[in-house]
Amino acid sequence: MNQNTSDPPSRRPTLSQVAKAAGVSEITASRALRGGSAVAKTTRQKVERAAQALNYVPNRLAGTLAGGASRQVAVILPSLSNIVFADVLKGLENRLEDDGYHPILGISHYDATREEHLLHDLLSWRPAGLVLAPTSGSAATRALLQAAELPVVEVMDTDPDAADMAVGFSHRAAGRAMAHYLIGRGYRRMAYIGHDIATDFRALARLDGFKDGLTDAGLSLSDTLILDGPSSVPLGREGLARLLDRTTQWPEAVFFSNDDMAVGGVFHCQTAGLSLPHDIALAGFNGLSIGQALPTPLTTIASNRERIGFVAADLILRRLKGERPPRITQIDFRLVPGSTA
Amino acid sequence: MNQNTSDPPSRRPTLSQVAKAAGVSEITASRALRGGSAVAKTTRQKVERAAQALNYVPNRLAGTLAGGASRQVAVILPSLSNIVFADVLKGLENRLEDDGYHPILGISHYDATREEHLLHDLLSWRPAGLVLAPTSGSAATRALLQAAELPVVEVMDTDPDAADMAVGFSHRAAGRAMAHYLIGRGYRRMAYIGHDIATDFRALARLDGFKDGLTDAGLSLSDTLILDGPSSVPLGREGLARLLDRTTQWPEAVFFSNDDMAVGGVFHCQTAGLSLPHDIALAGFNGLSIGQALPTPLTTIASNRERIGFVAADLILRRLKGERPPRITQIDFRLVPGSTA
DNA sequence: CCAAGTTATGACAGCGCTGTCAATATCGTT
DNA sequence: AACGATATTGACAGCGCTGTCATAACTTGG
């Protein structure tokens, strides 16, 4: 807390130093650098030159505190192990960057307590907006959001009633769509293989929707296998092996919690010499490129994660410009018939 | 710019309001909430209760500006399409979160100009540290880093001389190791299939190392195919198809720029009815789980991206605590013999 | 019971920047 | 040549918080 007279020892240059170097007042320098306001062309050039020369980097903490909007957007995702959320983040970052905004990231690990903690932490940076793929519908979380008075976008799902805005699609509807598709293909005995469902409630919603779809046709799930741990190719492979191993009456079709799992299932079939979809049919969810590159392209449902992220960022930005964008934006999923079911 | 007397209309509660509610001075409230300093137990409780009641969320912009350290770490990665960088980010976030730090993210898209711009932008938030997977060795970038006077960790590579600290491994050595392994297995005619190498200079370093390894044994690359665009499974599949199509004298082994590409190669072989590694041998890089779950586990080199991220964060944090951690930290790669080569 | 040493609290200034409003310079017009 | 309109610049205060130093309250021991 020193430095008011004379040159500071070696600190980063401040606006005041730039102003002095350019021979103008601080506020004029500020305006010159931010563009827009009325500043004579020659003055602006002087200031810009001075800033350049001093290697000036503005201090946005100060700027934001003094009245500006933050240009940081808090982002809370449940995981990064899954490429799905990396895709969302990519879309987000892409759109934000266009307007000079940046995401501050928090990973909740599908843990409601952690999510709440993160929220509190990130909010302390006074972000201009918040994007999250909620892990829980926790009341405490909801209260914090309400109080924060900033644009909030919940991504990936449109089922629960969002506090503010939402972008995504109905996972329940997606599950149901797959059930209908498989039924249409003539399958009747169907099983489900999923990962740690207690935490991933969107996967759970797909399962519920799938069951609904079966019910629509008077059917029900013949078998269900839930494995511990996050979804992965090896886990899906193990899952199918175990499911087929523990019963003599095989299902005709298996719906996996997502493509990673389903690709694992395909690999098991390749290893076990089972022909797809004749011996058994498999279906996934997400439409990852790897599933489509398989010798037997995976039957799946494509979701556009990157677009969801992009739109989420766009909604925040629009709101900050004073617009009133729609509360719910559907980014539709699309059933991709492959050769595995 | 109003609000000094009376109650502000509806703004977020400030420390001063908490203090008033608790009947103490602002600074005492500050100390009570931050813990540590000498504050009577009863006072602390009063303040905590008041904060709770008001739903107080501290303003770290103000806190940092007033003298604290930032607790934000700038992170610049070239891409998020590749799971590799998502892994690094995951490790980073994990370690940072433990100490209440958060990453501010920027994606350079393998573009030096963009990287520089991001650097400037992120630095304006006065982060406590910086982690980047450099895209270029740009002089301008280097200068900015030097001037910024904050802990900097360059991740993924230890080849170039880092400005400050570095965590990772030598991609050149990794490429060479694979060459030696394949030679040891008896292969002589070897080809390389890679993605957009102009931008991904770490992939390029692996290729160079691979060539070095061949040279060590008096061999040289029989064929090289570089495809446009980011690496992906479909691209690898297409690559191998094209390579085998354009020549009658097939290579005995193919080294791919990474596992995604190599898995695509495996899929092509499955489709084309080629037996691995008899008809042709394939090898990748990264040690992704998908490669290991294949019916024919992929021969590859495992890199520990998550750990690299974790260690990078740890280095920053240690430096902030005043320690002097090592400048270069090797996180070794490991050759994983599979059944594809 | 008082001096010396702790422990707890507060006053003050200032971090680096921007919004507001006022002051000055510049210009065209009659 | 004087006047109002417009373009350009600056003074001031304050955003919400914390470091520094000073003061007040409380111990302890002789």
Side-chain angles (χ1 to χ4, degrees), chain B residues 296-310:
Chain B
T296 52
L298 188 65
T299 294
T300 187
I301 287 180
S303 63
N304 198 338
R305 287 91 50 194
E306 198 175 328
R307 173 139 192 86
I308 289 177
F310 190 93

Side-chain angles (χ1 to χ4, degrees), chain A residues 57 60 70 72 81 90 93 97 102-103 105 107 114 121 124-126 237 267 270 290 293-295, chain B residues 1 57 60 70 72 81 90 93 97 102-103 105 107 114 121 124-126 237 267 270 290 293-295:
Chain A
V57 176
R60 274 195 214 284
S70 159
Q72 286 195 146
S81 311
K90 186 183 169 194
E93 202 278 340
E97 201 188 309
H102 296 283
L105 186 64
I107 304 295
R114 219 154 163 173
D121 248 42
S124 76
W125 290 105
R126 295 295 184 270
R237 183 174 171 169
F267 288 171
Q270 291 180 350
I290 182 170
L294 284 166
Chain B
M1 283 335 46
V57 176
R60 274 195 215 286
S70 159
Q72 287 195 148
S81 312
K90 184 183 169 194
E93 201 278 340
E97 200 188 309
H102 296 282
L105 187 64
I107 303 295
R114 219 154 163 173
D121 247 42
S124 76
W125 290 105
R126 295 293 184 269
R237 182 174 172 167
F267 288 170
Q270 292 180 351
I290 183 170
L294 285 166

Side-chain angles (χ1 to χ4, degrees), chain A residues 12 56-61 64 70-73 93 96-97 99-105 125, chain B residues 61 64 70-78 89 92 102-108 113-133 141 144-145 148 150-152:
Chain A
R12 315 279 293 272
Y56 172 70
V57 176
N59 183 334
R60 274 195 214 284
L61 297 177
T64 305
S70 159
R71 285 179 180 283
Q72 286 195 146
V73 171
E93 202 278 340
L96 290 181
E97 201 188 309
D99 284 37
Y101 283 66
H102 296 283
I104 344 175
L105 186 64
W125 290 105
Chain B
L61 298 177
T64 304
S70 159
R71 286 179 179 283
Q72 287 195 148
V73 171
V75 176
I76 302 181
L77 299 174
L89 183 54
L92 267 169
H102 296 282
I104 342 175
L105 187 64
I107 303 295
S108 69
T113 313
R114 219 154 163 173
E115 183 175 80
E116 231 175 283
H117 189 101
L118 276 174
L119 190 56
H120 186 93
D121 247 42
L122 295 183
L123 249 25
S124 76
W125 290 105
R126 295 293 184 269
L130 170 66
V131 174
L132 79 168
T141 302
L144 254 181
L145 291 189
L150 42 50
V152 178

Side-chain angles (χ1 to χ4, degrees), chain B:
Chain B
M1 283 335 46
N2 59 343
Q3 189 226 355
N4 43 18
T5 60
S6 78
D7 273 39
S10 100
R11 288 195 80 43
R12 315 280 293 272
T14 71
L15 184 59
S16 133
Q17 293 174 39
V18 173
K20 205 168 300 173
V24 298
S25 78
E26 216 171 311
I27 183 66
T28 299
S30 168
R31 285 195 276 249
L33 291 176
R34 277 181 299 162
S37 324
V39 175
K41 199 176 291 178
T42 55
T43 312
R44 163 162 301 144
Q45 287 175 348
K46 263 190 308 185
V47 174
E48 274 165 359
R49 215 152 323 178
Q52 196 91 49
L54 289 175
N55 235 303
Y56 172 69
V57 176
N59 183 334
R60 274 195 215 286
L61 298 177
T64 304
L65 185 61
S70 159
R71 286 179 179 283
Q72 287 195 148
V73 171
V75 176
I76 302 181
L77 299 174
S79 154
L80 274 179
S81 312
N82 197 320
I83 187 72
V84 162
F85 293 111
D87 285 343
V88 172
L89 183 54
K90 184 183 169 194
L92 267 169
E93 201 278 340
N94 235 25
R95 178 68 188 86
L96 290 181
E97 200 188 309
D98 287 345
D99 284 37
Y101 283 66
H102 296 282
I104 342 175
L105 187 64
I107 303 295
S108 69
H109 300 272
Y110 291 102
D111 175 340
T113 313
R114 219 154 163 173
E115 183 175 80
E116 231 175 283
H117 189 101
L118 276 174
L119 190 56
H120 186 93
D121 247 42
L122 295 183
L123 249 25
S124 76
W125 290 105
R126 295 293 184 269
L130 170 66
V131 174
L132 79 168
T135 259
S136 62
S138 141
T141 302
R142 194 125 319 191
L144 254 181
L145 291 189
Q146 224 79 52
E149 292 187 23
L150 42 50
V152 178
V153 181
E154 297 178 30
V155 293
M156 291 311 282
D157 204 338
T158 55
D159 280 338
D161 13 79
D164 187 356
M165 297 177 281
V167 193
F169 54 88
S170 160
H171 285 252
R172 190 148 195 145
R176 184 174 223 144
M178 181 55 86
H180 289 172
Y181 174 80
L182 293 177
I183 291 166
R185 301 282 292 175
Y187 304 110
R188 289 297 173 271
R189 291 184 53 78
M190 297 195 238
Y192 174 87
I193 296 178
H195 62 278
D196 203 355
I197 218 109
T199 56
D200 186 344
F201 77 79
R202 280 171 289 268
L204 183 57
R206 295 195 292 274
L207 171 55
D208 286 342
F210 190 69
K211 286 179 183 163
D212 289 350
L214 294 181
T215 305
D216 293 342
L219 301 172
S220 68
L221 219 44
S222 81
D223 201 355
T224 303
L225 176 58
I226 309 286
L227 299 135
D228 270 348
S231 70
S232 72
V233 175
L235 193 69
R237 182 174 172 167
E238 179 196 337
L240 185 57
R242 275 171 51 183
L243 185 90
L244 298 185
D245 197 44
R246 77 182 185 189
T247 169
T248 50
Q249 215 181 358
W250 285 10
E252 297 159 14
V254 178
F255 180 41
F256 287 81
S257 51
N258 64 213
D259 276 8
D260 297 270
M261 300 288 286
V263 167
V266 171
F267 288 170
H268 172 74
C269 291
Q270 292 180 351
T271 305
L274 297 174
S275 117
L276 290 164
H278 179 261
D279 295 331
I280 193 164
L282 306 181
F285 176 86
N286 266 336
L288 301 189
S289 76
I290 183 170
Q292 301 313 300
L294 285 166
T296 52
L298 188 65
T299 294
T300 187
I301 287 180
S303 63
N304 198 338
R305 287 91 50 194
E306 198 175 328
R307 173 139 192 86
I308 289 177
F310 190 93
V311 169
D314 195 58
L315 288 171
I316 299 272
L317 261 12
R318 282 164 66 189
R319 183 78 140 257
L320 292 175
K321 285 179 196 136
E323 298 177 33
R324 298 209 118 289
R327 294 178 63 80
I328 308 291
T329 307
Q330 292 284 340
I331 303 291
D332 279 332
F333 58 82
R334 184 171 45 85
L335 204 143
V336 180
S339 55
T340 61

